[in-house]
Amino acid sequence: MTERTQHDDAAPGSPEPKKVHTFDLIDEVPGASDGEAGPDGSESAADGAGTENDLAEEPAPRGPGRAAVALAGARTAVGRTARRGGAAVRRRLPTTRRGRVLLVGGTAAVVVLAVVAGVLVNAQLRERALIAAPGGVRSLAEKPSEQWSIDLDDPIMATLVEMPGVLAIAGDEKVRGVDPASGEVLWTVDVGENLNCGPTTHLGIGGPGALDPVDPLVCVSSSGDDKQEVTAIDPDGAATTRELDPDALVAPAAGGGLLSFELTGGEQEQRPVVVDKVGAPHLPKGFVGPDLVVRQEDAATGAERWSETVAFSDPRAENCVTYSDDDPAPDNEPEPALDVAGSLGWELTGDIVEVQGCGVSAAFLLDGTRLDDPKDPADPPADGVDTASFASLPDGGWVGPGATPSDAGVPNDVAHLPEGGTVTLDGQVLVPWATDGRDPGLLLTRAGTGTDAVSTDKDDAGAQLWTDPRLGATVVLVRVSGTAVVVDEEGAVRAIDLGTGADRWTLDPEVFSLADMAWAAESLIFGAFTDGDTLLLPVTADPDGESSGLRLLAIDVRDGSMRWDIKQDTPYTQLVSVDGYLAQITQQGVVGLG
């Protein structure tokens, strides 16, 4: 077993985490000079000859995906070419001194060409992985400027969705397919009013953005004449539209799916509820609510893909009521009402849908796999745990709450790995908001007041790699090539070595005004983007909310220095990366940044 990056005891501010386990070296610090081409195609600065470490292989991915297969094939071909070239020369070995000199030079040239070809293939595969990763951008080295713009009548109500190689702009009762590099409108589809297209990340809220490009795009529209339609749009603009029940509760899903949520049976009438002296609502004695049918169908054809009934059980009053304020008087208190339909809600996070309502709660993968135990009312989320307790992992698999509670009373997470294994953790997983597309073979978890790194490698899955009881990480903004940038519970932004947990640099909480909001970073930082060397964060310009505005801050992942800062008058609007290009909604429309 080889040793990963060793902890540097001399590093400033080093937490000296407890070393529990050693593991394979992550190949480089982001942006460190290694003579290879960077994500934007440029060559990293390096003086002098390279070393063996410069050409070190990356840790092998746990599953032989397309990129790994292509790289292995390319390297095999390069090696085979070198061997054949050498063999052909050796069969004609010269006997003269001059001939032997020429032989040495020719063989060296073959070897150099083989190494260069392997490096170029490796760099190209890294760039593809970066662009395909959540938040991947081709280059953030220089301050971006507006490259193109498209005006919209109502930009604030518009939505940006990534499709394969296409930016979909849903707004003004149509969807435009746009080339993200040039801004050229490739196609337009009329879809109707009150658009809900997706799936998309949550607008105005930061967090993991692990969404694959949507293919096809599903849009639901509704009008005031009790008409509801769904339209499925392919990346080339071909579209299919069909009518839906105007009262159907539906949501777009990945893979051209349409989720529907239907309450059946039980009592569904809205009525007042009794409130005790402390203001807590109480359900009527013997109340039995409806079951919930969760169904996914093909958005274009209506063909059912799967369905499951979530049985009504053990309702909690707070999950069965809504509050209305018909009297706008300042001293008026909103009145609670038993509202089964109005209290029903759902959330899509990556490949997972969670639904919760009055006496019903469940979680599913989009292929229909039930994630909670329907026979065990104590199994989250059936016990009333809030939504978003499950999450997709950027390197494959998913994570959800286990049966073992932590010291804080929150269930410890269980990671379900893409190869089928499970790892029970001693805390909650910190899912990175953005990555460079490479799997480091570990998960960071918040364990009590500290942070752990746990292996996901098939040979030692679940092994604790290191632990730092003084690193109270609350979110992981980005994970790139051996470094994770986190927000700690005091509001500082810190870069840590994934191999050891050692500090690399720290930004004061005042940089983002997070001191009192460390546990609500998602409400101040609206996403994360990276080119592998730089971290781009869209943040609120005024955390106190006294004025609107947005800042785009670019931080060098290597040393924490500020590369550039853009101040915008527009309030937060959606910023997305499509095929490695940035696009943003403004007060006038949509602009491409580059």
Side-chain angles (χ1 to χ4, degrees):
M1 192 178 304
T2 57
E3 190 77 18
R4 280 188 181 171
T5 307
Q6 295 294 322
H7 168 58
D8 182 4
D9 294 324
S14 172
E16 298 183 1
K18 176 183 176 184
K19 190 70 172 291
V20 178
H21 186 71
T22 60
F23 48 104
D24 291 337
L25 178 68
I26 295 177
D27 59 349
E28 82 268 1
V29 177
S33 298
D34 59 4
E36 295 183 9
D40 61 354
S42 62
E43 183 176 295
S44 301
D47 295 325
T51 66
E52 290 182 357
N53 289 335
D54 292 338
L55 302 177
E57 297 284 337
E58 289 188 65
R62 280 167 292 180
R66 295 181 182 176
V69 171
L71 177 58
R75 287 174 173 165
T76 299
V78 168
R80 185 164 53 244
T81 300
R83 290 193 298 273
R84 287 177 178 175
V89 172
R90 283 193 297 272
R91 283 195 295 269
R92 296 165 176 79
L93 282 175
T95 57
T96 65
R97 180 179 178 183
R98 181 174 181 274
R100 286 195 296 270
V101 171
L102 291 175
L103 168 62
V104 171
T107 303
V110 170
V111 173
V112 169
L113 289 174
V115 171
V116 171
V119 169
L120 291 176
V121 169
N122 199 16
Q124 290 173 352
L125 292 176
R126 287 186 184 182
E127 182 180 6
R128 292 176 189 173
L130 172 69
I131 293 173
V137 181
R138 293 173 184 266
S139 178
L140 294 169
E142 303 295 334
K143 180 185 293 188
S145 59
E146 182 178 312
Q147 301 298 304
W148 53 262
S149 65
I150 295 175
D151 291 338
L152 298 177
D153 295 335
D154 191 2
I156 298 301
M157 297 303 294
T159 303
L160 305 181
V161 185
E162 179 183 8
M163 299 179 72
V166 176
L167 169 65
I169 304 175
D172 295 348
E173 301 183 19
K174 63 187 66 175
V175 177
R176 298 173 177 89
V178 175
D179 182 331
S182 67
E184 177 188 359
V185 177
L186 305 174
W187 46 260
T188 301
V189 176
D190 294 327
V191 286
E193 302 175 285
N194 302 312
L195 282 180
N196 177 18
C197 297
T200 64
T201 55
H202 304 293
L203 297 181
I205 301 176
L211 285 177
D212 292 329
V214 177
D215 184 11
L217 175 65
V218 177
C219 293
V220 177
S221 61
S222 58
S223 60
D225 57 357
D226 295 329
K227 183 179 181 181
Q228 186 171 217
E229 295 180 327
V230 59
T231 301
I233 307 173
D234 293 332
D236 62 1
T240 301
T241 299
R242 63 185 180 89
E243 288 194 13
L244 301 172
D245 182 335
D247 297 323
L249 301 175
V250 295
L258 183 70
L259 290 165
S260 67
F261 309 91
E262 182 182 4
L263 296 168
T264 60
E267 299 181 39
Q268 300 189 35
E269 182 181 359
Q270 185 174 342
R271 51 178 164 155
V273 295
V274 176
V275 178
D276 60 23
K277 295 181 179 179
V278 297
H282 293 268
L283 296 175
K285 186 176 181 180
F287 171 74
V288 177
D291 297 335
L292 173 68
V293 177
V294 182
R295 180 176 184 264
Q296 185 183 170
E297 60 192 33
D298 185 285
T301 66
E304 181 177 294
R305 293 179 176 178
W306 58 267
S307 66
E308 182 163 341
T309 299
V310 181
F312 177 87
S313 176
D314 299 328
R316 297 169 59 185
E318 59 267 32
N319 289 343
C320 299
V321 301
T322 59
Y323 291 81
S324 61
D325 189 1
D326 297 330
D327 185 354
D331 58 349
N332 182 58
E333 292 291 335
E335 292 293 330
L338 177 60
D339 185 4
V340 175
S343 61
L344 182 65
W346 55 87
E347 183 169 1
L348 276 83
T349 307
D351 295 329
I352 296 172
V353 56
E354 293 182 77
V355 60
Q356 185 176 29
C358 182
V360 292
S361 186
F364 301 90
L365 292 178
L366 286 181
D367 63 5
T369 303
R370 182 83 179 257
L371 302 184
D372 62 301
D373 185 354
K375 298 179 181 179
D376 182 3
D379 183 43
D383 191 39
V385 175
D386 290 336
T387 58
S389 52
F390 293 80
S392 298
L393 296 173
D395 306 305
W398 55 278
V399 62
T404 306
S406 66
D407 294 339
V410 180
N412 285 324
D413 281 344
V414 176
H416 299 258
L417 305 180
E419 294 182 344
T422 60
V423 174
T424 300
L425 306 168
D426 292 329
Q428 291 73 47
V429 170
L430 299 171
V431 181
W433 293 15
T435 77
D436 61 0
R438 286 185 280 180
D439 181 1
L442 59 83
L443 293 173
L444 294 181
T445 67
R446 175 62 188 251
T449 59
T451 302
D452 292 346
V454 179
S455 174
T456 57
D457 188 87
K458 63 180 180 181
D459 295 329
D460 60 353
Q464 189 182 81
L465 303 174
W466 54 261
T467 181
D468 185 352
R470 291 180 290 176
L471 175 60
T474 60
V475 298
V476 177
L477 296 174
V478 70
R479 188 196 69 202
V480 290
S481 135
T483 297
V485 179
V486 307
V487 176
D488 69 18
E489 58 189 6
E490 295 180 353
V493 176
R494 299 169 58 179
I496 59 173
D497 187 308
L498 280 174
T500 65
D503 277 350
R504 286 185 164 162
W505 49 261
T506 300
L507 296 180
D508 189 89
E510 295 303 318
V511 174
F512 298 102
S513 301
L514 290 173
D516 299 325
M517 298 285 289
W519 290 98
E522 294 89 344
S523 63
L524 299 176
I525 303 175
F526 305 120
F529 303 87
T530 187
D531 62 0
D533 293 329
T534 303
L535 168 62
L536 169 60
L537 300 175
V539 303
T540 180
D542 181 10
D544 296 328
E546 296 179 0
S547 62
S548 63
L550 188 70
R551 295 175 67 194
L552 303 182
L553 301 180
I555 303 169
D556 193 315
V557 178
R558 296 167 296 186
D559 57 17
S561 60
M562 197 71 65
R563 283 198 164 183
W564 43 265
D565 181 357
I566 298 176
K567 295 180 175 63
Q568 298 180 327
D569 294 332
T570 185
Y572 171 71
T573 51
Q574 194 180 9
L575 179 69
V576 300
S577 173
V578 178
D579 197 30
Y581 298 97
L582 289 172
Q584 183 184 17
I585 293 179
T586 69
Q587 292 172 309
Q588 289 75 40
V590 180
V591 299
L593 302 176

